[in-house]
Amino acid sequence: MTIETRDKPETVEPTNETLTIGVGGMTCASCVSRVERALKRVPGVGNATVNLATEKATVSFDPSYADAETLLSAIEHAGYDPMRDTVVLDVTDDAFDVTALQRALHTVKNVMEVDINPAARRVSVSFPTGAVDTRELRRAAEAEGITLRERAAEGGEHAHDHGYDDRMLVAKWVSTGIAGIVMMVAGMSWALDAVAPWFSIQDVLVSMFIVALPLQIWAGSQFYVTAWKTGCHGGTDMNTLIALGTTAAFVYSTVATFWPELFESAHLAHDHALGDRPPVYFETAMIILSLILFGRWLESRAKGSTTAAITRLIGLGAKTARVVRDGREADIPVEEVVPGDVLLVRPGDKVPVDGVVVDGHSAVDESMLTGESLPVEKTEGASVYGATMNRMGSFRMRATRVGRKTALAQIIRLVEEAQGSKAPIQRLADYVASIFVPAVILIAAIGFVVWLIFGPEGAAIYATLNAVAVLIIACPCALGLATPTAIMVGTGRGAEQGILIRSGEALETAHRITTVVLDKTGTITEGKPRVTDIVTANGADETALLRVAAAAERGSEHALGEAIVRESQVRALDLPDVRDFEAFAGKGIVATVEGYAIVIGTRPFMAERSVELGALADAGAALARSAKTAVFVAVDGTPAGVIAIADTVKEGAAEAVSSLKRRGIEVVLLTGDNDSTAHAIAEEVGIDTVIADVLPDEKVAKVRELQAQGKVVAMVGDGINDAPALAQADVGIAIGTGADVAMEAADVTLMGGDPRLVSTAISLSQATMRTIRQNLFWAFAYNVLLIPVAAGGLYLVFKDGGVPEGLGWVLGEYGFLNPMLAAGAMAFSSISVMANSLRLRRARL
């Protein structure tokens, strides 16, 4: 096969796109390295990252001279199976232009093949798995005046049915396991004696061959096919080791069965039942296959558990929506909702897509997005998000974002990208894997020759068994799974708690954070001014004061006036009408309420209006010292009270700072507010270091200064002006309630806006890195310790027949490892890595 690519024009500026491709046939870290190298050799590919646990390759490339088909061809050329999907659609029009439809569908990015059957009015479209949204296909056809309706999603040539794969794995490991156990029993002396009147030893051995041959071909085919494909392209992987090992055991046993004279007479302690005949190991080949396939099945189930967070997120979405079109209500699939549609959401319904409330009032449970358990009040103008649950009350909403643009879809995309990414610590495992399989084959070959020449009686048998044991016990699978499985579970666990981690690199870096820089507004504080205190003159009623002040401010557009009005709404006050309203920019307002002349504003504004504040002036000054804004109220020229307004500290902010400080992390408050306000807020939440009066474009410089001091800096912010600083920091953490541009610049997004999640994110990073280190340690230790044992290293200790009683079934007579136990150990190493990673789902953060 040849890979067709277009030469890169020297003058073309790269405009990279990213494509995620499913890759079948990968079994170990060496497979990962091989696929990555194949993709990176394609001209125009900027970067390629392959994840063994998710079985996906994420490729960044320049579409001006490389395309999806080129990338898939590169994967095939490397000996692996790129996943393709085929979607089948019906054409609802009686007559249509086939050429126009073909041309329209090919304009959709990542579409590789379009097959149109005009007579059946059916269209089949192939593309890399998950790379095309069928709504894009329908929209492309509609642009040509052709209507398509999805019929079914069918597995294409390379589509993967994981349920079928799992069932086949079960059938294979059960069949080979039963056959291996039966053969083991049949080869025992008492069994041979029992059947001796009817069957000779040769008859029994031939029967074993007849049973083992089809099972060897059927159960081992997946290893042989992949090993052959890889070998044809000059590569080796885990399948190569398994294919060589099981084939060696089977071929040796076949020769020993039909041509025993080729082997010297050998009498081995554990094979005495065959007398002077050379022992056979058909049962060993069967049980090796069974144990390896059993391990693969457990891995597959464990991988399903690692992606459980994604599965749950996908399942959260609504399936239908009640749309109001032309004054009529109708239930339609949520995929058919378009921006601008007006939707009716009733109590107990899931919000279908993202949008804005246009009519009605309700409380919506947004815990799936933010992790906050309390429902959020929604009134006209409020934003609502797809997949959140409407608890009570009905409302109408206008759809603004649908399909892949909804908040839920973006969360799923971020989590998938993070799970498919690679942490820097994985590079060591990748390097080892790149040389691992050839090194193991070399060790097995050298061991075979050494034992054939210098081995004890029956040297050919021992040499074969040791070579098989080395090939089987070596396990690059564990190395390949150590990092990605932990990252998958860690990022999934974070998503469930409202912590979105963009990449494995961010997850790794977060555990090294030494300094957390917190923006003030929207991060430590609510970002929305509200009334905190009401001080009245001469014991007047504060509710009456708030009522007239809110009535007067109802016509104001100033943030302080809006805060007063919101407080009256919270207290459910009935506001009277207002006359003669007049606003004075930066000073205050005047109005007439129920016949009273109301003046509201700053202290200088009161002086302009000849209002003597008296004792209220002292109250206002005290409030100002507490980082609150004092708004004075006068009625008919007499001071009536002062209302304090402040951007209040978020619930949990002090706890968040305390938690970070307990970890030994320095906490810095960075704000554009004046020094006195900044210090007042810092004192309230327990921050010792304050950097105030910082202009938006100076925040990056402040972060750089901290980094220049050798600190690993996390920047936490929510505003557009925080985006550059978030990008500059070692780890940028965006408060999810803030601007989209801040979240795009960040490595971590806290969906709920709770500052306590900063500490939780760091805990998650620490737990994940601890798990990765454990996985890598045991994966390396396993191979370093057991490959020498499998190669016969213990012979030097037990060569005089000194194997302790009870260990003979493991180490035989001279300390040579039983190949079946080698297969079990190999399977256990991968399973233990998966199980250790899954522990993260229950880790305390």
Side-chain angles (χ1 to χ4, degrees):
M1 181 188 297
T2 59
I3 303 174
E4 296 182 1
T5 61
R6 296 188 286 276
D7 292 335
K8 179 178 179 179
E10 293 296 327
T11 58
V12 172
E13 289 292 329
T15 54
N16 282 357
E17 292 182 359
T18 299
L19 178 64
T20 299
I21 306 169
V23 183
M26 296 191 302
T27 56
C28 63
S30 57
C31 302
V32 169
S33 298
R34 184 166 179 78
V35 176
E36 285 184 349
R37 287 196 303 271
L39 288 169
K40 288 176 180 177
R41 282 197 295 265
V42 175
V45 170
N47 189 39
T49 302
V50 178
N51 188 305
L52 176 62
T54 59
E55 297 180 322
K56 290 181 180 179
T58 302
V59 190
S60 175
F61 64 100
D62 186 342
S64 63
Y65 52 90
D67 54 23
E69 188 63 54
T70 303
L71 300 176
L72 268 64
S73 296
I75 295 172
E76 287 179 328
H77 188 69
Y80 300 92
D81 299 320
M83 303 299 175
R84 294 181 175 90
D85 278 349
T86 298
V87 64
V88 181
L89 304 108
D90 289 324
V91 182
T92 62
D93 307 278
D94 292 331
F96 62 96
D97 186 333
V98 174
T99 303
L101 179 57
Q102 185 105 16
R103 184 175 58 247
L105 293 177
H106 271 297
T107 63
V108 177
K109 187 167 62 178
N110 297 326
V111 165
M112 299 188 313
E113 185 176 345
V114 177
D115 182 25
I116 301 176
N117 186 330
R121 296 206 300 267
R122 186 178 65 194
V123 182
S124 297
V125 185
S126 298
F127 47 86
T129 297
V132 174
D133 189 332
T134 54
R135 282 176 294 196
E136 298 175 26
L137 301 175
R138 293 202 298 268
R139 281 196 291 269
E142 286 168 4
E144 296 291 336
I146 301 170
T147 303
L148 299 180
R149 182 178 64 246
E150 188 170 349
R151 171 188 286 184
E154 300 180 358
E157 177 187 359
H158 294 274
H160 230 56
D161 181 346
H162 288 285
Y164 173 78
D165 286 351
D166 283 351
R167 291 191 296 273
M168 288 301 295
L169 281 173
V170 171
K172 288 178 178 180
W173 72 256
V174 169
S175 300
T176 51
I178 291 173
I181 292 171
V182 171
M183 290 178 190
M184 187 183 300
V185 172
M188 294 180 178
S189 57
W190 63 267
L192 291 172
D193 292 341
V195 300
W198 303 281
F199 301 102
S200 67
I201 290 178
Q202 179 67 11
D203 293 333
V204 173
L205 297 182
V206 171
S207 298
M208 288 183 182
F209 168 80
I210 292 172
V211 172
L213 178 61
L215 286 175
Q216 185 83 17
I217 295 171
W218 175 58
S221 60
Q222 66 190 74
F223 306 116
Y224 302 138
V225 170
T226 306
W228 176 258
K229 285 182 180 179
T230 305
C232 286
H233 298 100
T236 56
D237 61 15
M238 188 66 204
N239 295 286
T240 309
L241 299 180
I242 296 171
L244 287 174
T246 55
T247 300
F250 182 83
V251 170
Y252 158 78
S253 300
T254 301
V255 173
T257 296
F258 294 102
W259 301 280
E261 64 276 6
L262 296 179
F263 295 92
E264 59 184 284
S265 178
H267 182 83
L268 305 181
H270 53 283
D271 288 307
H272 62 277
L274 299 184
D276 289 333
R277 291 183 62 102
V280 296
Y281 295 100
F282 288 120
E283 80 284 357
T284 299
M286 292 296 98
I287 291 178
I288 285 173
L289 284 174
S290 179
L291 288 170
I292 293 171
L293 291 165
F294 177 66
R296 290 280 173 91
W297 177 66
L298 289 179
E299 278 181 33
S300 177
R301 291 176 63 87
K303 285 178 182 176
S305 297
T306 62
T307 58
I310 286 286
T311 304
R312 283 194 290 270
L313 286 171
I314 293 172
L316 289 173
K319 302 297 185 290
T320 61
R322 172 150 291 198
V323 65
V324 181
R325 292 175 179 167
D326 300 325
R328 291 168 31 179
E329 297 179 5
D331 288 327
I332 63 172
V334 71
E335 293 83 5
E336 296 181 8
V337 176
V338 297
D341 274 343
V342 174
L343 309 174
L344 175 62
V345 183
R346 295 164 296 189
D349 286 351
K350 285 184 178 179
V351 178
V353 296
D354 293 5
V356 177
V357 176
V358 295
D359 180 44
H361 177 274
S362 185
V364 177
D365 180 355
E366 296 183 346
S367 58
M368 51 75 59
L369 279 179
T370 65
E372 297 290 341
S373 58
L374 293 177
V376 181
E377 293 292 322
K378 300 293 181 181
T379 57
E380 183 178 343
S383 296
V384 287
Y385 303 97
T388 55
M389 181 65 71
N390 184 31
R391 288 301 183 194
M392 52 187 175
S394 298
F395 61 87
R396 291 174 185 262
M397 60 172 286
R398 178 174 290 104
T400 57
R401 295 188 295 189
V402 301
R404 295 186 178 186
K405 295 182 179 180
T406 63
L408 177 62
Q410 291 181 52
I411 290 172
I412 292 171
R413 175 179 60 81
L414 283 171
V415 176
E416 285 181 330
E417 287 177 359
Q419 293 189 337
S421 66
K422 186 173 292 187
I425 197 173
Q426 178 69 18
R427 292 171 189 151
L428 174 61
D430 288 348
Y431 173 74
V432 172
S434 67
I435 58 175
F436 183 85
V437 175
V440 169
I441 294 174
L442 181 63
I443 291 171
I446 293 173
F448 179 82
V449 173
V450 168
W451 293 119
L452 193 62
I453 298 173
F454 301 107
E457 182 183 357
I461 298 169
Y462 286 120
T464 301
L465 291 181
N466 285 345
V468 170
V470 169
L471 293 170
I472 294 301
I473 205 167
C475 190
C477 300
L479 287 173
L481 293 169
T483 298
T485 52
I487 288 176
M488 287 174 68
V489 179
T491 52
R493 174 78 187 278
E496 291 173 344
Q497 299 204 4
I499 303 170
L500 300 184
I501 300 168
R502 187 174 290 273
S503 67
E505 184 173 1
L507 188 63
E508 179 175 338
T509 305
H511 88 286
R512 297 188 291 107
I513 290 171
T514 60
T515 302
V516 171
V517 178
L518 299 170
D519 177 52
K520 183 182 77 68
T521 306
T523 301
I524 290 296
T525 64
E526 296 287 355
K528 182 185 294 184
R530 72 177 184 86
V531 173
T532 60
D533 304 89
I534 299 177
V535 179
T536 61
N538 303 320
D541 180 48
E542 72 171 43
T543 301
L545 176 66
L546 177 63
R547 178 172 174 269
V548 296
E553 290 282 9
R554 193 159 49 177
S556 172
E557 296 180 354
H558 195 279
L560 298 180
E562 291 174 354
I564 293 173
V565 173
R566 277 197 302 272
E567 182 65 18
S568 71
Q569 292 171 342
V570 170
R571 300 192 187 194
L573 300 182
D574 182 24
L575 303 184
D577 293 332
V578 179
R579 293 185 296 107
D580 306 325
F581 174 85
E582 188 176 2
F584 298 84
K587 296 180 179 180
I589 66 162
V590 296
T592 301
V593 179
E594 296 183 329
Y596 295 103
I598 307 297
V599 179
I600 304 175
T602 64
R603 183 173 178 176
F605 186 58
M606 290 295 166
E608 286 182 18
R609 292 282 161 168
S610 302
V611 176
E612 294 291 338
L613 293 175
L616 280 181
D618 295 334
L623 292 169
R625 286 193 293 272
S626 300
K628 299 174 182 178
T629 301
V631 177
F632 296 93
V633 182
V635 179
D636 287 340
T638 302
V642 58
I643 300 175
I645 299 172
D647 183 6
T648 54
V649 169
K650 283 185 177 180
E651 180 184 356
E655 185 182 340
V657 172
S658 175
S659 177
L660 291 170
K661 291 170 75 173
R662 282 198 302 271
R663 295 178 179 277
I665 294 174
E666 178 188 16
V667 183
V668 178
L669 182 64
L670 180 66
T671 179
D673 275 354
N674 62 70
D675 191 69
S676 61
T677 300
H679 274 88
I681 294 293
E683 184 178 352
E684 186 174 350
V685 298
I687 297 176
D688 301 319
T689 306
V690 177
I691 304 175
D693 295 311
V694 179
L695 296 175
D697 58 353
E698 294 175 343
K699 289 186 176 181
V700 171
K702 296 299 181 183
V703 171
R704 285 185 184 139
E705 286 177 15
L706 293 169
Q707 291 172 321
Q709 298 170 23
K711 299 174 180 178
V712 180
V713 179
M715 172 69 195
V716 187
D718 78 324
I720 292 174
N721 60 351
D722 296 324
L726 292 173
Q728 173 63 38
D730 296 286
V731 179
I733 303 177
I735 298 294
T737 49
D740 287 345
V741 68
M743 292 193 286
E744 286 298 320
D747 301 300
V748 179
T749 299
L750 310 181
M751 293 302 297
D754 186 345
R756 287 172 291 194
L757 289 177
V758 175
S759 181
T760 305
I762 295 173
S763 290
L764 180 63
S765 171
Q766 292 172 340
T768 303
M769 290 308 301
R770 185 164 56 246
T771 300
I772 289 173
R773 290 194 184 99
Q774 291 168 352
N775 287 349
L776 288 174
F777 171 80
W778 288 114
F780 280 118
Y782 164 86
N783 285 292
V784 168
L785 293 175
L786 293 187
I787 287 179
V789 173
L794 294 180
Y795 175 73
L796 299 176
V797 179
F798 302 124
K799 62 182 178 180
D800 296 326
V803 174
E805 186 176 353
L807 290 181
W809 66 281
V810 178
L811 300 174
E813 185 178 1
Y814 296 110
F816 296 136
L817 187 66
N818 188 321
M820 288 187 290
L821 296 176
M826 189 276 284
F828 176 76
S829 68
S830 296
I831 295 165
S832 63
V833 164
M834 299 290 292
N836 192 44
S837 295
L838 288 172
R839 288 174 54 243
L840 274 171
R841 293 171 64 182
R842 298 183 299 275
R844 294 184 62 184
L845 301 177

